[in-house]
């Protein structure tokens, strides 16, 4: 049997499958935006609280660096992020490097989360005092990140704030 005959025979055996497979997915943009906003709020508050509890001196020094050099921190963070993407692509192309790329990306995501939380804390501390404790700045930082996610287009500003925090965290180590 040639290829055409085999394909024809298979089609006759299986019948018409166009009606057998249907995908019914309801996409609600409002639910997506709301869940993204809640996730951004919770992640910022949780990571910020962990950083303030475990490494308050480190957190405050990075917040001071972001306030002192926001553009420099952003450029350093953005450059490091481009480097991460390039290294990941090279590792994935080599196939065996996938085993290195996955932990590398997980570590990068963790550092990004820490840097982003610290950067939002630096902004929130400018808006509210932290003399009474870190609860109010943490909630304001989470609210800022959540509000940016809720706006739909705020991801760009949130990315810039995260890149500044990423750069501030990595600057001493690279």
């Amino acid at each position: 049997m040639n290829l055409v005959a085999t394909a024809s025979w298979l089609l006759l055996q299986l019948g018409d499958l166009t009606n057998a497979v249907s995908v019914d997915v309801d996409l609600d943009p409002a639910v997506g935006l709301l869940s993204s906003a809640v996730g951004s709020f919770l992640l910022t508050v949780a990571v910020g609280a962990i950083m303030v509890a475990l490494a308050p001196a480190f957190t405050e020094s990075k917040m001071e660096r972001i306030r002192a050099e926001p553009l420099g921190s952003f450029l350093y963070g953005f450059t490091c992020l481009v480097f991460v993407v390039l290294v990941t692509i090279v590792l994935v192309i080599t196939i065996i490097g996938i085993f290195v790329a996955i932990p590398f990306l997980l570590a990068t995501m963790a550092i990004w989360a820490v840097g982003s939380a610290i950067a939002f804390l630096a902004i929130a501390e400018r808006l509210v005092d932290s003399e009474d404790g870190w609860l109010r700045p943490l909630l304001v930082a989470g609210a800022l990140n959540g509000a940016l996610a809720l706006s739909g287009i705020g991801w760009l500003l949130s990315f810039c704030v995260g890149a500044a925090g990423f750069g501030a965290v990595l600057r001493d180590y690279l």
Side-chain angles (χ1 to χ4, degrees), residues 68-116:
E69 304 173 28
L71 184 61
S73 294
F74 167 75
L75 291 175
Y76 197 82
F78 185 76
T79 304
C80 287
L81 189 62
V82 169
F83 176 74
V84 164
V85 169
L86 293 175
V87 166
T88 302
I89 289 171
V90 169
L91 287 171
V92 169
I93 287 174
T94 64
I95 304 298
I96 194 73
I98 292 173
F99 296 111
V100 177
I102 292 171
F104 179 65
L105 284 176
L106 290 174
T108 300
M109 288 171 33
I111 295 169
W112 183 277
V114 167
S116 179

Side-chain angles (χ1 to χ4, degrees), residues 16-106:
D16 184 17
L17 292 178
T18 56
N19 293 327
V21 178
S22 69
V23 177
D24 187 22
V25 177
D26 291 331
L27 296 177
D28 189 3
V31 172
L33 284 175
L34 185 61
S35 64
S36 178
V38 169
S40 297
F41 172 81
L42 292 175
L43 185 66
T44 302
V45 171
V47 173
I50 291 169
M51 290 306 298
V52 167
L54 297 180
F58 175 82
T59 303
E60 288 178 8
S61 71
K62 299 309 170 198
M63 287 169 58
E64 186 58 39
R65 170 163 286 164
I66 292 169
R67 283 192 294 262
E69 304 173 28
L71 184 61
S73 294
F74 167 75
L75 291 175
Y76 197 82
F78 185 76
T79 304
C80 287
L81 189 62
V82 169
F83 176 74
V84 164
V85 169
L86 293 175
V87 166
T88 302
I89 289 171
V90 169
L91 287 171
V92 169
I93 287 174
T94 64
I95 304 298
I96 194 73
I98 292 173
F99 296 111
V100 177
I102 292 171
F104 179 65
L105 284 176
L106 290 174

Side-chain angles (χ1 to χ4, degrees), residues 83-174:
F83 176 74
V84 164
V85 169
L86 293 175
V87 166
T88 302
I89 289 171
V90 169
L91 287 171
V92 169
I93 287 174
T94 64
I95 304 298
I96 194 73
I98 292 173
F99 296 111
V100 177
I102 292 171
F104 179 65
L105 284 176
L106 290 174
T108 300
M109 288 171 33
I111 295 169
W112 183 277
V114 167
S116 179
I118 289 173
F120 276 106
L121 268 173
I123 295 169
E125 194 179 42
R126 291 279 181 157
L127 299 174
V128 296
D129 290 332
S130 64
E131 293 173 4
D132 297 334
W134 285 99
L135 181 61
R136 284 181 29 199
L138 281 169
L139 292 176
V140 169
L144 286 171
N145 199 2
L148 287 173
L150 189 60
S151 71
I153 192 69
W155 66 268
L156 184 59
L157 186 56
S158 184
F159 172 79
C160 292
V161 171
F166 188 62
V169 169
L170 290 179
R171 202 166 201 171
D172 292 337
Y173 303 108
L174 298 178

